[in-house]
Amino acid sequence: MLFRSGDCVILISADFQDPVEMIPTLVQEWEKGYKIVSCIKVERDENPIMSFIRTCYYKVITKMSSVEQIEHFTGFGLYDQSFIQVLRELNDPTPWLRGIVAELGGQRISVPYHQKRRCSGSSHANLYTLYDTAMLSFTSYTKVGLRLATMGGFLFSALTMLVAIAYFIAKLVWWEQFLMGIEIGRAHV
C-alpha cells in the first residue's frame, strides 16, 4: 500500500503487520533531512523457525555482499521523491528493492519496529517465491556464485584435459592392448 504526497512516498503492507502508528515517526525523520527512512523488524510475531531462517539468510548475504545490506528490512518505510526518481531511471527488469535502497539510498536512517502477526489472510510468499527472492539478492549483490561457477568450470575442464592426455598417452604406449571403446559381442566367423 502506498501513501503518497508531493514530496515523499510511504510503502506499508496492507495486511496490518506494519504498524500504521509509525507514519508520524517516519515523517519526522524525513523532515530532519533523511531521504529514506527504512523500518527494521527488531521483533516479530512469527514462527521461530522462519525467524531463524531469515536471520541466517541476512547474515549470509551481509557477509557475501560488497554492498552494505539492511538486515530485516521488508521495504516498509518512507522514500523521498528524489529516490523514487532514481528507481524510475533504473533499467532493471528484476529490481531488488532492499539492495537498491542500501546501494543507492543516499541519506538513510533506520527505525526499529515490532512486526505483528497478519490480521487476516495468508501470505502469497510461498517457498518458491522466498527462494527466488533470495537468489535474486545473491545474483544481484554478491560475486560468490559467479566465482564458484568460474572456478568449478575451470577445475572440471582441467580435470577433463588431464584425463584426455592420460588416455592418449596410454593408447600410444599400449597400442594393441588398449581398446578404443567397448566391444559388444562380435560374431565369430
Side-chain angles (χ1 to χ4, degrees):
M1 180 183 308
L2 289 174
F3 295 108
R4 182 178 298 196
S5 78
D7 298 324
C8 66
V9 172
I10 295 176
L11 180 63
I12 187 169
S13 62
D15 58 10
F16 299 109
Q17 281 186 288
D18 301 331
V20 179
E21 309 83 54
M22 287 191 64
I23 292 175
T25 304
L26 301 178
V27 173
Q28 286 172 357
E29 294 297 333
W30 175 70
E31 287 173 342
K32 291 178 185 175
Y34 293 103
K35 300 296 180 188
I36 295 176
V37 184
S38 54
C39 297
I40 309 299
K41 296 185 293 184
V42 291
E43 295 179 41
R44 57 200 155 280
D45 298 337
E46 73 174 340
N47 181 333
I49 294 170
M50 277 306 292
S51 179
F52 175 75
I53 291 170
R54 286 181 206 277
T55 299
C56 290
Y57 159 75
Y58 281 116
K59 296 293 182 199
V60 169
I61 190 72
T62 299
K63 287 219 185 270
M64 292 181 170
S65 178
S66 58
V67 174
E68 173 206 5
Q69 296 298 311
I70 309 168
E71 293 186 30
H72 301 288
F73 173 55
T74 62
F76 171 38
L78 182 143
Y79 302 93
D80 188 81
Q81 198 61 37
S82 61
F83 180 72
I84 300 299
Q85 190 57 40
V86 168
L87 288 178
R88 285 187 181 129
E89 292 171 2
L90 285 177
N91 190 16
D92 189 350
T94 53
W96 191 54
L97 181 66
R98 297 168 189 170
I100 294 169
V101 167
E103 184 177 17
L104 305 174
Q107 288 181 298
R108 176 180 53 84
I109 189 168
S110 297
V111 177
Y113 79 103
H114 176 94
Q115 187 180 51
K116 299 179 241 172
R117 277 200 187 278
R118 184 181 301 273
C119 290
S120 65
S122 61
S123 174
H124 293 287
N126 58 24
L127 185 60
Y128 173 76
T129 57
L130 292 173
Y131 173 79
D132 194 43
T133 301
M135 288 301 104
L136 180 60
S137 68
F138 278 106
T139 56
S140 298
Y141 287 94
T142 68
K143 296 177 186 174
V144 173
L146 183 59
R147 287 182 178 158
L148 285 175
T150 302
M151 287 188 289
F154 177 76
L155 288 174
F156 282 121
S157 65
L159 180 64
T160 303
M161 188 58 101
L162 288 174
V163 169
I165 290 170
Y167 195 93
F168 179 68
I169 290 171
K171 179 61 180 171
L172 290 176
V173 172
W174 298 289
W175 187 268
E176 294 296 324
Q177 295 87 5
F178 201 80
L179 298 176
M180 287 301 286
I182 299 173
E183 275 190 45
I184 300 177
R186 260 180 11 187
H188 296 283
V189 181

